[in-house]
């Protein structure tokens, strides 16, 4: 990390300030008499204010040397002329230079105290009525409220941008509410680690056994485990984990949990002899999904009388002959309200889906095709010749600023106008999204769910696809036969071998599968970079943008953090024609391949045809097209969707030259280069290796340790996810 510099001085002038996100460019007059350009998130700053800034020097192509603020301390002006500069800058509604001069001439260095504590005295100044005095005071208090909130957060080294988020969430009462209960900072809205908020609360004198602390710890454990894929936690595990977190006796979390259950924030229900504890929204999602699915399963959808003849007609029209399992799938689509189609690579899922779509068309049904990611939806469109949308877009997703929750336009009140819905890549769909989809289907709508059950489960909570299959309630067709043409691919042969617990064949004469043994992490990285930079583009004619590096892990010698730095240097090096932006320890450059790392429902995007939408999702991959000369924003392109990101949004974006296997789910690449070195035990599993192999369409190169690869293939350990969907469906419950 670069050296941090400290500057102390007075704000001389503002060059730019974004009121919505607090991004600011200012001139700071230092105590040594120098003028320094400072950039960063500094909301509500104004000339005359004193700043002590710690930051990193950057060289801006247009504005020259500037200090990017990392931390800062602020204090209000004390001298009359500094106060005049501060007030006349427009920080207080209704106060311009003339009014500021009149107020300061009257009250001098006491002006700011008068504005906040005795604003009625302003009416003694000619031209200021009692009404205007109240308006000025209200504006100043609002301004000071945000300042004090920022100062409170700065005391605990929390980012300034958090003050803006709290203000949007709680309004003028934000600081008071946080002081009353600092554990609000650990809610999903703010995302501060519980250990940090706990330290703040303890420093403020909160008791170790107060209910605010205990209840916050219980909900934090449930939210934290949701991020690990769990829909609920057994009561005993929840209490034990919370007691361990707080280092307290277990009876205290028990009391807090019972209080949360009484409030309705947590739902406890007995499933299969387990006292399952859910966050309310996840319990509602699971119960709703089960109830809606039972309704779809109960509908008589049998149209089998014409099915066999129709399938024969489709075979003739498409010039193919279905394999027995493929034909079974198409015919069952006519007979079943809900159908699951699953199989590995090369087993003919696409052909069966095309047949099902053709069948539905002959039945006169309105068909909708969907997938959980933009890339998967695009591939589905290419394979079927019909438009496919992401599930989020299909449901009309939006973000409710009032409730601060994700909402969907399409629900049971305004259902989808479709007779049949086909969803691909179902292994990626988590429980909340599946529940929302089911809510949007009219009674009698046919639902076909397609995917590979052996891939990794969804990033979000639940194990929906596997739960549906294992429940035994939903008719399922398993495509197991690998077709002759597909069996000629070593990628597909090796993927199926891995799925059976056998190691892939690690030789270099397999056509589309190569293995380069590197037992040193440093040598593996050098080889990966060389492959992407020169060997593959020059010797095999594969463009750099069609090569994707995958690795099981983020950390370590062959983790995405290190690989992305090396690949950025090699594939998009520094140039006079490329603007750069340093954000913390990460460098972004025009032309970089980037990935969205968390769901952001507020991002507005536009396509070339004028289509406008909102929402970027965890795993979406794009490119930095332009960096604003002032460093305030970046123009991104995500597969034809153009969006502008403010710099404060860079905490939800990362370089994507290398991705983790988990992030690559649902995507397919012409060429995959996989780093296979020993890493965390939870990642050295068969599912990770299988998913990585099945991301490659034409060429797969594995670089790494052959022992690590064999260990992954042999390890079928799957992380257990606590989910009640399978049990509810199997027992007919809701």
């Amino acid at each position: 990390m670069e050296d941090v510099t400290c500057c102390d001085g007075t704000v001389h002038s503002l060059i730019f300030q974004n009121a919505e996100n607090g991004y600011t460019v200012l001139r700071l007059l230092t105590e040594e008499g120098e003028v320094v350009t400072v950039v960063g998130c500094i909301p509500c700053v104004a000339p005359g204010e004193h700043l002590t800034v710690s930051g990193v020097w950057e060289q801006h192509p247009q504005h020259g040397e500037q200090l990017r603020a990392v931390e800062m301390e602020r204090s209000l002006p004390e001298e009359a002329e500094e106060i005049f500069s501060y007030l006349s800058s427009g920080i207080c509604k209704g106060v311009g230079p003339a009014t500021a001069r009149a107020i300061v001439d009257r009250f001098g260095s006491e002006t700011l105290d008068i504005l906040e504590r005795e604003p009625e005295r302003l009416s003694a100044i000619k031209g200021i009525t009692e009404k205007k005095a109240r308006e000025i005071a209200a504006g100043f208090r609002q301004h000071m409220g945000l300042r004090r909130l920022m100062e409170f957060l700065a005391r605990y080294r929390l980012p300034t941008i958090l003050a803006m988020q709290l203000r949007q969430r709680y309004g003028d009462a934000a600081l008071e509410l946080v002081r009353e209960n600092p554990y609000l900072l650990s809610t999903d809205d703010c995302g501060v680690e519980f250990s940090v908020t706990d330290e703040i609360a303890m420093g403020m004198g909160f008791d170790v056994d107060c209910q605010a602390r205990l209840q916050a710890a219980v909900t934090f454990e449930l939210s934290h485990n949701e991020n690990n894929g769990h829909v609920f936690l057994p009561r005993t595990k929840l209490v034990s984990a919370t007691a361990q977190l707080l280092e307290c006796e277990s009876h205290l979390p028990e009391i807090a949990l019972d209080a949360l259950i009484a409030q309705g924030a947590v739902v406890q229900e007995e499933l299969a002899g387990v006292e399952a504890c859910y966050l309310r929204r996840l319990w509602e999602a699971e119960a709703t999904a089960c109830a809606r699915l039972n309704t779809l399963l109960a509908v008589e959808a049998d149209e089998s009388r014409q099915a066999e003849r129709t399938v024969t007609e489709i075979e003739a029209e498409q010039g193919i002959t279905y394999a027995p399992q493929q034909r079974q799938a198409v015919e069952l689509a006519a007979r079943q309200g809900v159908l699951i189609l699953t199989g590995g690579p090369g087993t003919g899922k696409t052909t069966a889906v095309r047949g099902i779509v053709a069948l539905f068309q002959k039945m006169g049904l309105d068909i909708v095709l969907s997938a959980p990611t933009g890339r998967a939806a695009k591939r589905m469109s290419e394979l079927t010749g019909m438009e496919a949308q992401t599930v989020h877009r299909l449901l009309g997703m939006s973000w409710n600023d009032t409730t601060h929750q994700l909402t969907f336009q399409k629900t049971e009140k305004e259902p989808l106008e479709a007779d049949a819905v086909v969803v691909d890549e179902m292994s990626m769909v988590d429980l909340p999204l599946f529940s929302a989809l089911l809510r949007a289907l009219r009674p009698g709508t046919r639902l076909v769910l397609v995917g590979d059950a052996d891939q990794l489960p969804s990033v979000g909570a639940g194990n929906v696809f596997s739960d549906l299959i294992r429940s035994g309630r939903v008719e399922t067709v398993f495509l197991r036969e690998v077709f002759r043409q597909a069996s000629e691919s070593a990628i597909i042969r090796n993927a199926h071998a891995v799925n059976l617990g056998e190691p892939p064949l690690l030789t270099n004469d397999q056509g589309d599968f190569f293995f380069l043994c590197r037992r040193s992490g440093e040598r593996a990285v050098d080889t990966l970079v060389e492959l992407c930079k020169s060997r593959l583009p020059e010797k095999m004619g594969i463009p750099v943008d069609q090569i994707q590096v995958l690795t099981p892990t983020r950390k370590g010698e062959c983790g995405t953090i290190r690989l992305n730095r090396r690949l950025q240097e090699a594939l998009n090096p520094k140039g006079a024609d490329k603007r750069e932006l340093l954000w913390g320890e990460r460098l972004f450059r025009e032309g970089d391949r980037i990935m969205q790392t968390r769901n952001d429902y507020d991002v507005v995007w536009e396509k070339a045809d004028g289509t406008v939408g909102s929402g970027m999702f965890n795993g979406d991959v794009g490119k930095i097209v332009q960096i604003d000369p002032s460093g305030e924003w970046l123009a991104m392109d995500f597969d034809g969707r153009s969006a502008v990101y403010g710099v404060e949004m860079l905490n939800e974006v990362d370089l994507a030259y290398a991705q983790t296997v988990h992030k690559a789910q649902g995507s397919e690449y012409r060429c995959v280069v996989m780093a296979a070195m020993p890493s965390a035990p939870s990642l050295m599993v068969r599912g990770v290796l299988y998913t990585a192999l099945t991301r490659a369409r034409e060429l797969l190169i594995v670089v790494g340790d052959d022992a690590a690869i064999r260990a992954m293939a042999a390890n079928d350990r799957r992380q257990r996810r606590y989910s009640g969907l399978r049990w509810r469906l199997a027992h007919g419950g809701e």
Side-chain angles (χ1 to χ4, degrees):
M1 185 175 177
E2 296 186 38
D3 293 337
V4 174
T5 300
C6 187
C7 273
D8 195 51
T10 303
V11 178
H12 178 268
S13 59
L14 295 183
I15 300 170
F16 175 84
Q17 188 166 58
N18 185 320
E20 291 186 6
N21 59 37
Y23 182 82
T24 303
V25 182
L26 59 83
R27 300 270 194 246
L28 187 72
L29 180 62
T30 70
E31 293 182 346
E32 292 78 24
E34 294 181 77
V35 177
V36 173
T37 302
V38 178
V39 300
C41 184
I42 320 172
C44 303
V45 72
E49 195 172 338
H50 297 288
L51 295 184
T52 300
V53 181
S54 296
V56 178
W57 288 109
E58 297 178 353
Q59 188 66 34
H60 193 278
Q62 282 186 305
H63 303 301
E65 197 171 46
Q66 58 188 27
L67 187 66
R68 177 167 296 281
V70 177
E71 294 181 1
M72 77 184 64
E73 293 180 9
R74 307 169 58 165
S75 60
L76 290 169
E78 297 175 355
E79 301 297 326
E81 281 308 303
E82 291 177 343
I83 293 173
F84 166 71
S85 297
Y86 186 69
L87 278 184
S88 61
S89 67
I91 58 103
C92 187
K93 188 177 179 182
V95 179
T99 304
R101 173 55 66 192
I103 295 172
V104 173
D105 284 350
R106 180 65 177 263
F107 299 113
S109 60
E110 296 180 354
T111 295
L112 300 183
D113 284 336
I114 298 295
L115 280 171
E116 191 165 16
R117 296 184 176 87
E118 300 177 86
E120 66 278 359
R121 291 176 61 183
L122 295 177
S123 60
I125 299 172
K126 186 177 179 180
I128 298 181
T129 63
E130 289 185 9
K131 180 182 177 184
K132 186 172 182 181
R134 287 194 299 271
E135 290 173 351
I136 291 172
F140 187 71
R141 283 174 180 152
Q142 189 176 53
H143 168 79
M144 289 304 297
L146 184 55
R147 271 193 65 104
R148 290 203 170 95
L149 179 58
M150 289 187 295
E151 289 166 1
F152 175 86
L153 297 174
R155 220 176 297 154
Y156 302 102
R157 295 180 176 266
L158 293 173
T160 309
I161 191 67
L162 182 57
M164 308 295 286
Q165 296 168 354
L166 287 164
R167 183 62 175 272
Q168 290 171 356
R169 179 73 172 90
Y170 299 110
D172 293 341
L175 178 57
E176 183 182 347
L177 289 171
V178 171
R179 278 180 170 153
E180 287 176 2
N181 182 9
Y183 294 103
L184 287 175
L185 297 172
S186 285
T187 60
D188 291 341
D189 292 332
C190 303
V192 178
E193 278 292 323
F194 179 83
S195 59
V196 175
T197 55
D198 198 36
E199 186 178 343
I200 293 171
M202 294 297 99
M204 293 171 65
F206 278 67
D207 293 333
V208 294
D209 60 352
C210 70
Q211 279 299 298
R213 180 178 191 244
L214 297 169
Q215 291 182 22
V218 171
T219 54
F220 173 79
E221 281 294 342
L222 287 171
S223 296
H224 175 74
N225 279 282
E226 178 188 355
N227 293 330
N228 291 332
H230 299 297
V231 180
F232 70 82
L233 284 182
R235 182 180 176 107
T236 53
K237 288 187 178 291
L238 175 57
V239 169
S240 174
T242 307
Q244 187 175 354
L245 176 70
L246 298 177
E247 297 180 344
C248 68
E249 297 295 327
S250 61
H251 73 277
L252 293 174
E254 291 267 12
I255 294 169
L257 176 55
D258 287 336
L260 288 166
I261 293 169
Q263 296 164 21
V266 173
V267 176
Q268 180 174 298
E269 184 177 354
E270 185 168 325
L271 300 177
V274 173
E275 289 180 307
C277 294
Y278 296 78
L279 290 170
R280 172 161 285 279
R281 57 183 168 77
L282 290 177
W283 176 81
E284 289 175 348
E286 188 173 276
T288 299
C290 184
R292 302 287 298 186
L293 198 59
N294 279 332
T295 300
L296 292 177
L297 290 167
V299 173
E300 290 291 334
D302 192 343
E303 296 195 25
S304 57
R305 286 170 294 177
Q306 304 296 324
E308 290 186 23
R309 189 171 66 188
T310 304
V311 173
T312 301
E313 290 175 7
I314 294 169
E315 285 182 316
E317 290 169 4
Q318 296 186 353
I320 59 173
T321 301
Y322 292 127
Q325 290 171 329
Q326 289 176 319
R327 187 179 185 97
Q328 178 193 16
V330 181
E331 289 183 3
L332 279 172
R335 299 170 183 161
Q336 300 293 326
V338 184
L339 177 68
I340 289 174
L341 177 64
T342 184
T347 57
K349 287 196 302 292
T350 299
T351 300
V353 169
R354 286 198 194 108
I356 290 170
V357 170
L359 174 79
F360 286 161
Q361 287 173 332
K362 286 184 176 291
M363 291 168 61
L365 304 181
D366 288 330
I367 310 160
V368 168
L369 306 183
S370 191
T373 67
R375 290 202 163 199
K378 184 178 179 182
R379 193 170 74 249
M380 196 180 190
S381 295
E382 293 167 353
L383 294 174
T384 61
M386 289 179 61
E387 182 191 3
Q389 304 177 59
T390 64
V391 181
H392 289 91
R393 187 178 173 203
L394 177 68
L395 299 180
M397 173 225 66
S398 63
W399 182 253
N400 189 315
D401 287 324
T402 303
T403 62
H404 290 265
Q405 290 184 336
L406 180 64
T407 60
F408 295 100
Q409 178 188 347
K410 297 298 182 182
T411 64
E412 56 271 11
K413 295 179 180 177
E414 188 183 340
L416 290 168
E417 294 181 3
D419 302 313
V421 175
V422 182
V423 183
D424 197 9
E425 295 289 353
M426 260 303 295
S427 63
M428 295 183 66
V429 176
D430 62 22
L431 176 66
L433 186 59
F434 184 58
S435 181
L437 173 65
L438 292 176
R439 286 183 60 199
L441 302 184
R442 296 180 298 197
T445 302
R446 294 167 182 270
L447 180 62
V448 179
L449 306 174
V450 185
D452 185 343
D454 294 310
Q455 282 189 35
L456 294 169
S458 60
V459 174
N463 200 359
V464 173
F465 198 44
S466 177
D467 282 352
L468 294 176
I469 293 170
R470 292 185 301 143
S471 73
R473 286 289 311 285
V474 183
E475 191 73 50
T476 302
V477 176
F478 296 88
L479 299 180
R480 294 190 171 94
E481 179 187 351
V482 179
F483 289 93
R484 182 182 60 79
Q485 187 175 355
S487 68
E488 295 172 0
S489 163
I491 295 174
I492 291 176
R493 289 199 308 272
N494 280 312
H496 284 281
V498 167
N499 205 24
L500 294 171
E502 302 168 7
L505 186 62
L506 301 179
T507 63
N508 280 334
D509 55 355
Q510 301 180 70
D512 61 358
F513 184 107
F514 293 84
F515 171 67
L516 302 178
C517 185
R518 302 288 187 273
R519 295 198 173 95
S520 154
E522 190 62 41
R523 285 194 64 213
V525 172
D526 290 342
T527 301
L528 287 160
V529 172
E530 184 188 358
L531 284 165
C532 296
K533 182 181 179 180
S534 56
R535 287 171 65 177
L536 289 171
E538 293 170 9
K539 296 183 179 179
M540 303 198 71
I542 302 176
V544 170
D545 62 0
Q546 294 182 28
I547 303 168
Q548 183 61 56
V549 174
L550 298 182
T551 177
T553 181
R554 290 188 69 251
K555 300 177 181 178
E557 280 189 303
C558 288
T560 56
I561 296 172
R562 183 155 186 268
L563 283 171
N564 272 317
R565 286 177 183 158
R566 289 286 308 275
L567 289 165
Q568 182 189 46
E569 292 169 11
L571 305 180
N572 189 31
K574 187 180 183 71
D577 59 336
K578 300 175 190 172
R579 294 196 187 100
E580 296 180 350
L581 184 61
L582 185 67
W583 189 254
E585 296 185 22
R586 294 178 300 157
L587 178 70
F588 294 96
R589 183 177 290 140
E590 288 179 342
D592 275 338
R593 189 188 304 178
I594 46 92
M595 172 184 279
Q596 186 79 17
T597 57
R598 67 179 71 168
N599 292 346
D600 188 330
Y601 309 106
D602 294 326
V603 178
V604 176
W605 51 261
E606 184 175 2
K607 290 185 176 181
D609 62 5
T611 303
V612 176
S614 65
M616 289 294 176
F617 301 98
N618 189 351
D620 284 351
V621 174
K623 181 180 180 180
I624 298 176
V625 177
Q626 181 186 0
I627 297 177
D628 169 47
S630 69
E632 184 208 353
W633 51 261
L634 301 87
M636 312 282 204
D637 183 88
F638 290 85
D639 278 333
R641 294 173 297 157
S642 299
V644 174
Y645 279 50
V647 289
E648 77 285 351
M649 297 165 67
L650 289 178
N651 63 342
E652 57 189 51
V653 170
D654 210 345
L655 295 175
Y657 298 102
Q659 299 177 27
T660 63
V661 177
H662 282 82
K663 293 286 189 186
Q665 281 180 267
S667 296
E668 190 178 73
Y669 309 96
R670 179 179 174 186
C671 173
V672 167
V673 180
M674 181 190 178
M677 296 295 289
S679 59
S682 62
L683 299 172
M684 299 297 291
V685 296
R686 186 182 303 169
V688 170
L689 180 59
Y690 175 77
T691 301
L693 301 188
T694 54
R695 299 309 91 208
R697 186 170 67 249
E698 294 181 17
L699 179 64
L700 175 68
I701 302 177
V702 181
V703 179
D705 187 331
D706 53 339
I709 297 166
R710 291 188 176 95
M712 292 177 79
N715 185 2
D716 194 27
R717 188 182 67 184
R718 305 190 184 202
Q719 180 197 19
R720 179 180 180 183
R721 290 189 168 194
Y722 289 109
S723 162
L725 183 61
R726 175 191 174 190
W727 188 89
R728 290 179 194 275
L729 288 170
H731 291 79
E734 299 183 2

